[in-house]
Amino acid sequence: MTLGLIRAGEHGWDDAWAWGSIGGGLVLLAAFGRYEHRLGCRRGGQPLLDLRVFASRSYTWGVVLIGIAVFANIGVLFTMPQYFQAVRGTDAMGSGARLLPIIGGLVIGAGMGPAMATSTSAALSEVSEGRSGVEVAVLQAANKVGAPFGSAIVGSVALTGYRDRLRVPDLSAADLHTARSGVFGGAEVAGRVGSAPMAASVRGAFVHGMDLALLVSGGVAVLGLIVALVFMPGAGGGVIGHPGSSRGRSEAR
């Protein structure tokens, strides 16, 4: 599915192979879920992932919100280093220095920091002793999948926006392909052919694509806020934990 999203950014959203890859990934995911569900319902069955764990609202939406938080943050981490280097002309060290406030926010608990901590706490409060390994692994998987999945979508949006705004002079097929591959390829071709208007177009096109990508990331962040307000249990609870979970043990006492 991620491959399909990347291909859509490279070849356009009307590419049949892109949609085929996305659809194929969804079918495989659905088939895996169905198989695991049937195995879990079978007497003596030992599924890799017992889907009954998602009966807990706190656990389910905690996992979802972790993925959303990582997805939303990846827009900045994906686009800003390219912006600093290709548009503003900084080197790799200068680009990294300009991203330090984001890292600082995570360390002192601002921005994404409390979102991740709260989501993790909500999910782990429902982890049962008997299935703690699997349930924590699912939590980590959501964290790790959010970044590449977000990169694929945000990157596809940014590249599509870049290509829509890019204006180039008459170029060879090879140079045109390089220029359309991304901002660094476009800057390299513009410098080689000595076209200042093309260089300006490359920078402007990338900023346009970056704006679209950050809008997507911002929209995902707002979606996460709505999900948290609507689906996460309040402090008063209303969600019964697994018998072996930390919440279930506290309720038993």
PDB file of all heavy atoms in Angstrom, residues 159-188:
ATOM      1  N   LEU A 159       5.205  16.303  -3.958  1.00  0.00           N
ATOM      2  CA  LEU A 159       5.737  16.131  -5.311  1.00  0.00           C
ATOM      3  C   LEU A 159       4.696  16.490  -6.359  1.00  0.00           C
ATOM      4  O   LEU A 159       5.015  17.106  -7.388  1.00  0.00           O
ATOM      5  CB  LEU A 159       6.214  14.690  -5.510  1.00  0.00           C
ATOM      6  CG  LEU A 159       6.890  14.377  -6.849  1.00  0.00           C
ATOM      7  CD1 LEU A 159       8.108  15.276  -7.060  1.00  0.00           C
ATOM      8  CD2 LEU A 159       7.289  12.910  -6.924  1.00  0.00           C
ATOM      9  N   THR A 160       3.444  16.127  -6.103  1.00  0.00           N
ATOM     10  CA  THR A 160       2.370  16.494  -7.041  1.00  0.00           C
ATOM     11  C   THR A 160       2.231  18.004  -7.137  1.00  0.00           C
ATOM     12  O   THR A 160       2.106  18.573  -8.235  1.00  0.00           O
ATOM     13  CB  THR A 160       1.041  15.869  -6.595  1.00  0.00           C
ATOM     14  OG1 THR A 160       1.166  14.442  -6.565  1.00  0.00           O
ATOM     15  CG2 THR A 160      -0.084  16.256  -7.547  1.00  0.00           C
ATOM     16  N   GLY A 161       2.249  18.696  -5.987  1.00  0.00           N
ATOM     17  CA  GLY A 161       2.172  20.157  -6.003  1.00  0.00           C
ATOM     18  C   GLY A 161       3.367  20.789  -6.687  1.00  0.00           C
ATOM     19  O   GLY A 161       3.241  21.782  -7.411  1.00  0.00           O
ATOM     20  N   TYR A 162       4.557  20.232  -6.468  1.00  0.00           N
ATOM     21  CA  TYR A 162       5.777  20.732  -7.106  1.00  0.00           C
ATOM     22  C   TYR A 162       5.677  20.621  -8.622  1.00  0.00           C
ATOM     23  O   TYR A 162       5.977  21.576  -9.359  1.00  0.00           O
ATOM     24  CB  TYR A 162       6.975  19.943  -6.578  1.00  0.00           C
ATOM     25  CG  TYR A 162       8.255  20.120  -7.356  1.00  0.00           C
ATOM     26  CD1 TYR A 162       9.043  21.257  -7.187  1.00  0.00           C
ATOM     27  CD2 TYR A 162       8.684  19.146  -8.259  1.00  0.00           C
ATOM     28  CE1 TYR A 162      10.222  21.421  -7.908  1.00  0.00           C
ATOM     29  CE2 TYR A 162       9.869  19.296  -8.968  1.00  0.00           C
ATOM     30  CZ  TYR A 162      10.626  20.440  -8.792  1.00  0.00           C
ATOM     31  OH  TYR A 162      11.788  20.595  -9.502  1.00  0.00           O
ATOM     32  N   ARG A 163       5.247  19.474  -9.102  1.00  0.00           N
ATOM     33  CA  ARG A 163       5.168  19.267 -10.548  1.00  0.00           C
ATOM     34  C   ARG A 163       4.096  20.138 -11.193  1.00  0.00           C
ATOM     35  O   ARG A 163       4.252  20.597 -12.332  1.00  0.00           O
ATOM     36  CB  ARG A 163       4.889  17.802 -10.840  1.00  0.00           C
ATOM     37  CG  ARG A 163       6.089  16.899 -10.573  1.00  0.00           C
ATOM     38  CD  ARG A 163       5.751  15.447 -10.788  1.00  0.00           C
ATOM     39  NE  ARG A 163       6.937  14.609 -10.715  1.00  0.00           N
ATOM     40  CZ  ARG A 163       6.914  13.284 -10.802  1.00  0.00           C
ATOM     41  NH1 ARG A 163       5.759  12.647 -10.932  1.00  0.00           N
ATOM     42  NH2 ARG A 163       8.040  12.596 -10.742  1.00  0.00           N
ATOM     43  N   ASP A 164       3.009  20.396 -10.473  1.00  0.00           N
ATOM     44  CA  ASP A 164       1.939  21.227 -11.033  1.00  0.00           C
ATOM     45  C   ASP A 164       2.387  22.659 -11.257  1.00  0.00           C
ATOM     46  O   ASP A 164       1.932  23.324 -12.202  1.00  0.00           O
ATOM     47  CB  ASP A 164       0.726  21.202 -10.102  1.00  0.00           C
ATOM     48  CG  ASP A 164      -0.030  19.889 -10.152  1.00  0.00           C
ATOM     49  OD1 ASP A 164       0.191  19.113 -11.108  1.00  0.00           O
ATOM     50  OD2 ASP A 164      -0.837  19.622  -9.239  1.00  0.00           O
ATOM     51  N   ARG A 165       3.271  23.165 -10.403  1.00  0.00           N
ATOM     52  CA  ARG A 165       3.713  24.561 -10.495  1.00  0.00           C
ATOM     53  C   ARG A 165       5.025  24.742 -11.246  1.00  0.00           C
ATOM     54  O   ARG A 165       5.392  25.872 -11.563  1.00  0.00           O
ATOM     55  CB  ARG A 165       3.865  25.133  -9.081  1.00  0.00           C
ATOM     56  CG  ARG A 165       2.546  25.432  -8.378  1.00  0.00           C
ATOM     57  CD  ARG A 165       1.822  26.601  -9.029  1.00  0.00           C
ATOM     58  NE  ARG A 165       0.583  26.905  -8.346  1.00  0.00           N
ATOM     59  CZ  ARG A 165       0.471  27.771  -7.347  1.00  0.00           C
ATOM     60  NH1 ARG A 165       1.541  28.411  -6.905  1.00  0.00           N
ATOM     61  NH2 ARG A 165      -0.693  28.002  -6.792  1.00  0.00           N
ATOM     62  N   LEU A 166       5.728  23.662 -11.520  1.00  0.00           N
ATOM     63  CA  LEU A 166       7.044  23.769 -12.151  1.00  0.00           C
ATOM     64  C   LEU A 166       6.919  24.236 -13.602  1.00  0.00           C
ATOM     65  O   LEU A 166       6.139  23.678 -14.375  1.00  0.00           O
ATOM     66  CB  LEU A 166       7.765  22.425 -12.102  1.00  0.00           C
ATOM     67  CG  LEU A 166       9.173  22.388 -12.678  1.00  0.00           C
ATOM     68  CD1 LEU A 166      10.108  23.296 -11.877  1.00  0.00           C
ATOM     69  CD2 LEU A 166       9.704  20.959 -12.701  1.00  0.00           C
ATOM     70  N   ARG A 167       7.696  25.238 -13.949  1.00  0.00           N
ATOM     71  CA  ARG A 167       7.753  25.746 -15.324  1.00  0.00           C
ATOM     72  C   ARG A 167       9.212  25.688 -15.783  1.00  0.00           C
ATOM     73  O   ARG A 167      10.092  26.268 -15.144  1.00  0.00           O
ATOM     74  CB  ARG A 167       7.231  27.179 -15.406  1.00  0.00           C
ATOM     75  CG  ARG A 167       5.790  27.341 -14.950  1.00  0.00           C
ATOM     76  CD  ARG A 167       4.834  26.616 -15.890  1.00  0.00           C
ATOM     77  NE  ARG A 167       3.445  26.783 -15.483  1.00  0.00           N
ATOM     78  CZ  ARG A 167       2.786  25.936 -14.706  1.00  0.00           C
ATOM     79  NH1 ARG A 167       3.424  24.868 -14.242  1.00  0.00           N
ATOM     80  NH2 ARG A 167       1.532  26.141 -14.372  1.00  0.00           N
ATOM     81  N   VAL A 168       9.434  25.007 -16.896  1.00  0.00           N
ATOM     82  CA  VAL A 168      10.805  24.799 -17.360  1.00  0.00           C
ATOM     83  C   VAL A 168      10.914  25.203 -18.827  1.00  0.00           C
ATOM     84  O   VAL A 168       9.926  25.186 -19.565  1.00  0.00           O
ATOM     85  CB  VAL A 168      11.225  23.319 -17.192  1.00  0.00           C
ATOM     86  CG1 VAL A 168      11.192  22.924 -15.724  1.00  0.00           C
ATOM     87  CG2 VAL A 168      10.337  22.399 -18.020  1.00  0.00           C
ATOM     88  N   PRO A 169      12.129  25.569 -19.288  1.00  0.00           N
ATOM     89  CA  PRO A 169      12.347  25.829 -20.718  1.00  0.00           C
ATOM     90  C   PRO A 169      12.409  24.507 -21.474  1.00  0.00           C
ATOM     91  O   PRO A 169      12.196  23.432 -20.907  1.00  0.00           O
ATOM     92  CB  PRO A 169      13.700  26.551 -20.720  1.00  0.00           C
ATOM     93  CG  PRO A 169      14.396  26.023 -19.513  1.00  0.00           C
ATOM     94  CD  PRO A 169      13.324  25.805 -18.475  1.00  0.00           C
ATOM     95  N   ASP A 170      12.697  24.591 -22.755  1.00  0.00           N
ATOM     96  CA  ASP A 170      12.845  23.364 -23.542  1.00  0.00           C
ATOM     97  C   ASP A 170      14.052  22.581 -23.034  1.00  0.00           C
ATOM     98  O   ASP A 170      15.187  23.060 -23.049  1.00  0.00           O
ATOM     99  CB  ASP A 170      13.038  23.713 -25.030  1.00  0.00           C
ATOM    100  CG  ASP A 170      11.762  24.284 -25.648  1.00  0.00           C
ATOM    101  OD1 ASP A 170      10.677  23.959 -25.131  1.00  0.00           O
ATOM    102  OD2 ASP A 170      11.866  25.050 -26.617  1.00  0.00           O
ATOM    103  N   LEU A 171      13.795  21.368 -22.596  1.00  0.00           N
ATOM    104  CA  LEU A 171      14.840  20.514 -22.050  1.00  0.00           C
ATOM    105  C   LEU A 171      14.820  19.161 -22.734  1.00  0.00           C
ATOM    106  O   LEU A 171      13.805  18.765 -23.330  1.00  0.00           O
ATOM    107  CB  LEU A 171      14.634  20.305 -20.539  1.00  0.00           C
ATOM    108  CG  LEU A 171      14.670  21.543 -19.635  1.00  0.00           C
ATOM    109  CD1 LEU A 171      14.248  21.168 -18.227  1.00  0.00           C
ATOM    110  CD2 LEU A 171      16.064  22.168 -19.626  1.00  0.00           C
ATOM    111  N   SER A 172      15.925  18.474 -22.651  1.00  0.00           N
ATOM    112  CA  SER A 172      15.949  17.098 -23.132  1.00  0.00           C
ATOM    113  C   SER A 172      15.070  16.240 -22.230  1.00  0.00           C
ATOM    114  O   SER A 172      14.728  16.624 -21.107  1.00  0.00           O
ATOM    115  CB  SER A 172      17.387  16.560 -23.127  1.00  0.00           C
ATOM    116  OG  SER A 172      17.871  16.458 -21.794  1.00  0.00           O
ATOM    117  N   ALA A 173      14.719  15.082 -22.738  1.00  0.00           N
ATOM    118  CA  ALA A 173      13.851  14.194 -21.968  1.00  0.00           C
ATOM    119  C   ALA A 173      14.509  13.815 -20.640  1.00  0.00           C
ATOM    120  O   ALA A 173      13.850  13.749 -19.590  1.00  0.00           O
ATOM    121  CB  ALA A 173      13.530  12.937 -22.775  1.00  0.00           C
ATOM    122  N   ALA A 174      15.815  13.586 -20.662  1.00  0.00           N
ATOM    123  CA  ALA A 174      16.522  13.204 -19.439  1.00  0.00           C
ATOM    124  C   ALA A 174      16.532  14.342 -18.426  1.00  0.00           C
ATOM    125  O   ALA A 174      16.293  14.137 -17.225  1.00  0.00           O
ATOM    126  CB  ALA A 174      17.956  12.778 -19.770  1.00  0.00           C
ATOM    127  N   ASP A 175      16.804  15.576 -18.919  1.00  0.00           N
ATOM    128  CA  ASP A 175      16.809  16.722 -18.003  1.00  0.00           C
ATOM    129  C   ASP A 175      15.418  17.006 -17.459  1.00  0.00           C
ATOM    130  O   ASP A 175      15.261  17.373 -16.282  1.00  0.00           O
ATOM    131  CB  ASP A 175      17.350  17.964 -18.721  1.00  0.00           C
ATOM    132  CG  ASP A 175      18.864  17.948 -18.851  1.00  0.00           C
ATOM    133  OD1 ASP A 175      19.506  17.136 -18.147  1.00  0.00           O
ATOM    134  OD2 ASP A 175      19.404  18.731 -19.653  1.00  0.00           O
ATOM    135  N   LEU A 176      14.396  16.850 -18.283  1.00  0.00           N
ATOM    136  CA  LEU A 176      13.025  17.075 -17.824  1.00  0.00           C
ATOM    137  C   LEU A 176      12.658  16.073 -16.733  1.00  0.00           C
ATOM    138  O   LEU A 176      12.027  16.434 -15.726  1.00  0.00           O
ATOM    139  CB  LEU A 176      12.055  16.969 -18.997  1.00  0.00           C
ATOM    140  CG  LEU A 176      10.572  17.187 -18.659  1.00  0.00           C
ATOM    141  CD1 LEU A 176      10.360  18.586 -18.090  1.00  0.00           C
ATOM    142  CD2 LEU A 176       9.698  16.984 -19.900  1.00  0.00           C
ATOM    143  N   HIS A 177      13.048  14.819 -16.931  1.00  0.00           N
ATOM    144  CA  HIS A 177      12.768  13.800 -15.928  1.00  0.00           C
ATOM    145  C   HIS A 177      13.475  14.135 -14.619  1.00  0.00           C
ATOM    146  O   HIS A 177      12.888  14.002 -13.532  1.00  0.00           O
ATOM    147  CB  HIS A 177      13.217  12.431 -16.434  1.00  0.00           C
ATOM    148  CG  HIS A 177      13.053  11.334 -15.439  1.00  0.00           C
ATOM    149  ND1 HIS A 177      11.823  10.764 -15.151  1.00  0.00           N
ATOM    150  CD2 HIS A 177      13.958  10.699 -14.634  1.00  0.00           C
ATOM    151  CE1 HIS A 177      11.975   9.841 -14.227  1.00  0.00           C
ATOM    152  NE2 HIS A 177      13.263   9.770 -13.893  1.00  0.00           N
ATOM    153  N   THR A 178      14.715  14.584 -14.707  1.00  0.00           N
ATOM    154  CA  THR A 178      15.467  14.945 -13.504  1.00  0.00           C
ATOM    155  C   THR A 178      14.832  16.141 -12.809  1.00  0.00           C
ATOM    156  O   THR A 178      14.703  16.162 -11.576  1.00  0.00           O
ATOM    157  CB  THR A 178      16.928  15.264 -13.862  1.00  0.00           C
ATOM    158  OG1 THR A 178      17.531  14.122 -14.478  1.00  0.00           O
ATOM    159  CG2 THR A 178      17.719  15.651 -12.624  1.00  0.00           C
ATOM    160  N   ALA A 179      14.436  17.145 -13.581  1.00  0.00           N
ATOM    161  CA  ALA A 179      13.842  18.349 -13.000  1.00  0.00           C
ATOM    162  C   ALA A 179      12.528  18.028 -12.289  1.00  0.00           C
ATOM    163  O   ALA A 179      12.216  18.605 -11.242  1.00  0.00           O
ATOM    164  CB  ALA A 179      13.615  19.397 -14.087  1.00  0.00           C
ATOM    165  N   ARG A 180      11.758  17.098 -12.847  1.00  0.00           N
ATOM    166  CA  ARG A 180      10.467  16.750 -12.258  1.00  0.00           C
ATOM    167  C   ARG A 180      10.592  15.752 -11.107  1.00  0.00           C
ATOM    168  O   ARG A 180       9.600  15.477 -10.432  1.00  0.00           O
ATOM    169  CB  ARG A 180       9.548  16.175 -13.345  1.00  0.00           C
ATOM    170  CG  ARG A 180       9.040  17.224 -14.322  1.00  0.00           C
ATOM    171  CD  ARG A 180       8.244  16.585 -15.459  1.00  0.00           C
ATOM    172  NE  ARG A 180       7.132  15.778 -14.971  1.00  0.00           N
ATOM    173  CZ  ARG A 180       5.933  16.259 -14.615  1.00  0.00           C
ATOM    174  NH1 ARG A 180       5.725  17.576 -14.684  1.00  0.00           N
ATOM    175  NH2 ARG A 180       4.977  15.462 -14.194  1.00  0.00           N
ATOM    176  N   SER A 181      11.787  15.236 -10.886  1.00  0.00           N
ATOM    177  CA  SER A 181      11.955  14.249  -9.814  1.00  0.00           C
ATOM    178  C   SER A 181      11.925  14.876  -8.437  1.00  0.00           C
ATOM    179  O   SER A 181      11.689  14.181  -7.441  1.00  0.00           O
ATOM    180  CB  SER A 181      13.275  13.488 -10.005  1.00  0.00           C
ATOM    181  OG  SER A 181      14.388  14.369  -9.823  1.00  0.00           O
ATOM    182  N   GLY A 182      12.168  16.180  -8.329  1.00  0.00           N
ATOM    183  CA  GLY A 182      12.165  16.848  -7.039  1.00  0.00           C
ATOM    184  C   GLY A 182      12.957  18.131  -7.077  1.00  0.00           C
ATOM    185  O   GLY A 182      13.567  18.479  -8.093  1.00  0.00           O
ATOM    186  N   VAL A 183      12.960  18.834  -5.957  1.00  0.00           N
ATOM    187  CA  VAL A 183      13.559  20.159  -5.929  1.00  0.00           C
ATOM    188  C   VAL A 183      15.068  20.104  -6.150  1.00  0.00           C
ATOM    189  O   VAL A 183      15.631  20.981  -6.823  1.00  0.00           O
ATOM    190  CB  VAL A 183      13.215  20.859  -4.589  1.00  0.00           C
ATOM    191  CG1 VAL A 183      13.796  20.090  -3.400  1.00  0.00           C
ATOM    192  CG2 VAL A 183      13.698  22.297  -4.590  1.00  0.00           C
ATOM    193  N   PHE A 184      15.743  19.097  -5.630  1.00  0.00           N
ATOM    194  CA  PHE A 184      17.189  19.029  -5.825  1.00  0.00           C
ATOM    195  C   PHE A 184      17.535  18.720  -7.271  1.00  0.00           C
ATOM    196  O   PHE A 184      18.494  19.270  -7.827  1.00  0.00           O
ATOM    197  CB  PHE A 184      17.798  17.980  -4.891  1.00  0.00           C
ATOM    198  CG  PHE A 184      17.742  18.377  -3.444  1.00  0.00           C
ATOM    199  CD1 PHE A 184      16.844  17.778  -2.585  1.00  0.00           C
ATOM    200  CD2 PHE A 184      18.579  19.364  -2.958  1.00  0.00           C
ATOM    201  CE1 PHE A 184      16.779  18.143  -1.254  1.00  0.00           C
ATOM    202  CE2 PHE A 184      18.531  19.747  -1.625  1.00  0.00           C
ATOM    203  CZ  PHE A 184      17.622  19.129  -0.760  1.00  0.00           C
ATOM    204  N   GLY A 185      16.752  17.851  -7.905  1.00  0.00           N
ATOM    205  CA  GLY A 185      16.963  17.576  -9.322  1.00  0.00           C
ATOM    206  C   GLY A 185      16.684  18.803 -10.163  1.00  0.00           C
ATOM    207  O   GLY A 185      17.430  19.123 -11.105  1.00  0.00           O
ATOM    208  N   GLY A 186      15.603  19.540  -9.831  1.00  0.00           N
ATOM    209  CA  GLY A 186      15.283  20.755 -10.565  1.00  0.00           C
ATOM    210  C   GLY A 186      16.354  21.813 -10.424  1.00  0.00           C
ATOM    211  O   GLY A 186      16.734  22.479 -11.402  1.00  0.00           O
ATOM    212  N   ALA A 187      16.884  21.972  -9.207  1.00  0.00           N
ATOM    213  CA  ALA A 187      17.952  22.957  -8.989  1.00  0.00           C
ATOM    214  C   ALA A 187      19.211  22.575  -9.732  1.00  0.00           C
ATOM    215  O   ALA A 187      19.919  23.442 -10.285  1.00  0.00           O
ATOM    216  CB  ALA A 187      18.225  23.084  -7.489  1.00  0.00           C
ATOM    217  N   GLU A 188      19.506  21.295  -9.790  1.00  0.00           N
ATOM    218  CA  GLU A 188      20.704  20.835 -10.494  1.00  0.00           C
ATOM    219  C   GLU A 188      20.604  21.109 -11.994  1.00  0.00           C
ATOM    220  O   GLU A 188      21.558  21.592 -12.619  1.00  0.00           O
ATOM    221  CB  GLU A 188      20.900  19.339 -10.230  1.00  0.00           C
ATOM    222  CG  GLU A 188      22.207  18.761 -10.734  1.00  0.00           C
ATOM    223  CD  GLU A 188      22.115  18.270 -12.161  1.00  0.00           C
ATOM    224  OE1 GLU A 188      21.021  17.821 -12.546  1.00  0.00           O
ATOM    225  OE2 GLU A 188      23.132  18.341 -12.879  1.00  0.00           O
TER     226      GLU A 188
END
